[in-house]
Amino acid sequence: METTSSSRVGAQPAEAPAAEPPQSEQNPHTTPAPPQEATAPVPAARRAAEGFLAADFPWYGLDGAFTGPRWLGQVGTGADGTVEHGSTGHGDEPSARGEIATGEKERFAVVVTVASNPNRRSGDGTGVLEATSVSSAAWLAGSGLLAYSWPQQMDHTLRDDWLDQQTEAAWELADDLDGPDWSTLSLPVDGQPTPFHYRESEFGWVLAGSTGSGVHLGAYGRGMSAYGLGFSAIADLGTYE
């Protein structure tokens, strides 16, 4: 996961309005231009849905056994604007310090769908990028969980350093799915038993696997058990707020 830092842009002084010509120089026959109508901002939910609709692969979420709230996460695109992955959420919408600030335990499961691309061209068309794999899904899920984790004993000024270290560790774990930190868990995908790589930590759980429909799946959550979950292709994105 890339971490970004924002910088505050200094406000530029407003330009003084142009002086209005004397009344004698104004053209009395000039018709004032009608005021322009303000453009209504596009709702965030609609912007998110548009990003999901631009993908050429199926999106996945929890199957019909889950009856709680559903919401759209974010999509990730390549250099050429092609949608490569995205996430759908289930349960509470998590926040980095939610449990610390409110004292209430958040319950959520986020499903990450990653397009299967054996050969990805670079944005300028001059080379081939590393293919996506189950490790890609595991990495996105692991870094996603970290984004909503905050050790209670840690001051916010130290969190960036901690997040960088943990993100690197998540990448190393994702690159070694056959290692001792992972176990195997079988869960249904579109009704078919599917093997997943699974691990738990003090911050929650992460799993990753592949489907028969040309995508890799990752998932992470907290407060909801991964055991007993099922996944299915989303037939109607309108069920996600």
Side-chain angles (χ1 to χ4, degrees), residues 88-233:
T88 56
H90 310 79
D92 301 327
E93 292 196 44
S95 60
R97 300 197 71 179
E99 295 180 22
I100 299 175
T102 66
E104 297 181 359
K105 189 173 183 62
E106 296 172 333
R107 300 179 67 256
F108 64 89
V110 177
V111 180
V112 181
T113 307
V114 183
S116 178
N117 291 315
N119 294 301
R120 295 189 299 157
R121 303 295 300 181
S122 60
D124 57 8
T126 60
V128 178
L129 302 178
E130 181 181 358
T132 57
S133 65
V134 179
S135 290
S136 305
W139 150 244
L140 288 168
S143 58
L145 178 62
L146 287 172
Y148 296 116
S149 302
W150 195 318
Q152 296 189 19
Q153 71 277 12
M154 181 175 293
D155 184 84
H156 69 90
T157 58
L158 301 176
R159 185 172 184 267
D160 286 345
D161 291 337
W162 174 86
L163 190 58
D164 288 341
Q165 294 170 359
Q166 294 299 314
T167 299
E168 180 64 27
W171 170 249
E172 293 176 357
L173 285 168
D175 202 35
D176 185 23
L177 293 177
D178 294 324
D181 293 292
W182 297 89
S183 59
T184 302
L185 180 64
S186 180
L187 298 173
V189 176
D190 293 326
Q192 298 298 317
T194 303
F196 284 89
H197 300 276
Y198 175 79
R199 68 179 178 88
E200 294 182 359
S201 73
E202 60 181 307
F203 306 113
W205 52 262
V206 173
L207 58 80
S210 294
T211 75
S213 56
V215 297
H216 305 293
L217 289 185
Y220 61 91
R222 188 162 58 230
M224 293 174 58
S225 173
Y227 294 88
L229 294 182
F231 306 95
S232 62

Side-chain angles (χ1 to χ4, degrees), residues 34-92:
Q36 294 183 349
E37 294 184 2
T39 302
V42 179
R46 198 174 87 192
R47 290 199 304 270
E50 288 173 352
F52 280 83
L53 292 172
D56 59 359
F57 54 88
W59 294 104
Y60 274 76
L62 297 186
D63 61 19
F66 176 79
T67 59
R70 297 171 182 255
W71 37 274
L72 293 177
Q74 296 180 331
V75 298
T77 59
D80 60 354
T82 302
V83 177
E84 296 184 338
H85 60 83
S87 61
T88 56
H90 310 79
D92 301 327

